[in-house]
């Protein structure tokens, strides 16, 4: 049985979570997921602005390695992180420096590259690949001059290969979020490229814990049932070679692991429940069976998989303009009516000055802005936040 925990759900997640994970209980692997789609654009901008070539990755990760290096060494915990962002070599160099300073210069670091295709876009388009949007079918050529980042969702098998070669830390760029967990499982259990049910099981395991505490009560709709908010436990998967696994958390930590908390995370960013597509397998989420095995322990079994598609997904972001947002708190009797007058005054003054925008937005937080269809309170709000926003191609 292999224990894999995820200590980061996004770039900016709790910096203490991975530290606690290595200290609060047994682990074999610590995974860290820093990359959302917008994060790739941010990192690409940072990389372009830095002539030294030392930007474009999750700098938090380097500090984390320095902080937990003694525990990693003592307990033999291996780390898999997509902290490389759009500049894995720079991240590797910084981590290697930390290892040398910490007396662990002999530690092997693996690096997975190949996902960044920004410089290859024109040649790919010239080959007849349209890279059409999965949302509306538009060809990439329609926004080619505004592209900021382009990254392929890479397979988990290169992660396993790096672990096979003895890497104690594996850095990647843009792979799939579940792949951070699937890679170690492929390595440990020697799963093959056509072991579809096993690969699907590893993908589901990774999907459940990819957002950190989101599956341990941190984003649970019945939040009032969760205790220990100041010390939420992050998820740990106890995986077996047959593809079955248990989701749990370390003893003594806050949070909640139940069938309900796991189900809510399962449907997160799911798409077609019968065909969750990754570079390695197509997983059938309708086959998942969940069983509460005790306090904060949910067993997951029965997962079925089918062959992977013959193409990769690519995340491409582009500059669509600039935005500015402002807000004003309005309080007292008839607060909503007063806020509407303030908003009308703002837009009226801009119109009189001859200033217009491609898009404008006005909302009144506290008066049903977030859940307009649920209904409004019969009691008028005594305070609202007037929130206004504009968007335009012209930065001025």
């Amino acid at each position: 049985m292999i224990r894999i925990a995820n200590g980061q759900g996004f770039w900016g997640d709790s910096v203490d979570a991975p530290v606690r994970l290595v200290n609060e209980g047994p682990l074999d692997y610590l995974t860290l997921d820093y990359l959302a789609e917008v994060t790739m654009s941010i990192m690409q901008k940072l990389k372009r602005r830095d002539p030294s070539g030392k930007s474009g990755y999750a700098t938090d990760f380097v500090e984390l390695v320095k902080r937990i290096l003694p525990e990693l060494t003592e307990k033999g915990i291996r780390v898999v992180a997509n902290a490389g962002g759009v500049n894995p070599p720079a991240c590797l160099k910084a981590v290697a420096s930390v290892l040398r300073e910490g007396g662990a210069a002999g530690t092997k670091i693996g690096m997975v590259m190949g996902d960044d295709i920004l410089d290859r876009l024109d040649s790919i388009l010239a080959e007849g690949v349209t890279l059409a949007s999965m949302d509306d079918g538009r060809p990439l050529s329609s926004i080619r001059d505004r592209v900021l980042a382009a990254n392929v969702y890479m397979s988990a098998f290169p992660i396993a290969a790096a672990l096979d070669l003895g890497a104690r830390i594996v850095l990647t760029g843009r792979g799939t979020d579940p792949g951070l967990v699937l890679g170690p499982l492929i390595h440990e259990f020697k799963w093959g490229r056509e072991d579809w049910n096993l690969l699907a099981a590893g993908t589901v395991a990774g999907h459940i814990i990819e957002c950190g505490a989101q599956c341990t009560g941190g984003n649970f709709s019945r939040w009032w049932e969760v205790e220990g908010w100041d010390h939420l436990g992050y998820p740990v998967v106890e995986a077996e070679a047959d593809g079955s696994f248990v989701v749990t958390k370390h003893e003594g930590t806050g949070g909640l692991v139940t069938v309900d908390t796991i189900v809510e995370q399962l449907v997160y960013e799911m798409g077609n429940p019968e065909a969750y597509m990754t570079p390695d397998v197509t997983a059938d989420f309708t086959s998942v069976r969940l069983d509460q095995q005790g306090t904060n322990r949910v067993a997951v079994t029965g997962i079925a998989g089918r062959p992977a598609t013959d193409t990769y997904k690519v995340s491409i972001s582009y500059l669509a303009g600039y935005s500015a947002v402002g807000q004003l708190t309005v309080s007292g009797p008839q607060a909503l009516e007063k806020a509407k007058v303030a908003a009308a005054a703002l837009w009226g003054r801009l119109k009189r000055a001859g200033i217009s925008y491609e898009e404008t937005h006005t909302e009144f937080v506290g008066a049903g802005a977030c859940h307009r269809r649920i209904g409004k309170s019969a009691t008028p709000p005594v305070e609202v936040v007037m929130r206004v926003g504009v968007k335009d191609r012209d930065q001025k």
Side-chain angles (χ1 to χ4, degrees), residues 137-150:
R138 281 186 300 164
L140 178 66
S141 57
S142 64
I143 50 98
R144 173 65 186 94
D145 59 333
R146 292 182 280 152
V147 171
L148 296 177

Side-chain angles (χ1 to χ4, degrees), residues 28-32 34 61-62 64-66 68-69 72-73 76-84 88 91-92 94-100 104 106-112 158-159 161-172 184:
D28 297 297
Y29 289 87
L30 173 67
T31 67
L32 302 149
Y34 292 97
F61 176 69
V62 180
L64 172 66
V65 172
K66 180 186 297 184
I68 64 175
L69 183 57
L72 296 180
T73 303
I77 299 172
R78 300 170 90 167
V79 178
V80 180
N82 56 20
C91 185
L92 184 146
V95 171
S97 178
V98 166
L99 294 176
R100 285 194 300 271
T107 302
K108 286 188 176 182
I109 309 172
M111 179 173 64
V112 177
I159 294 174
L163 294 169
D164 290 344
L165 292 170
R168 306 300 302 180
I169 298 174
V170 180
L171 302 173
T172 79

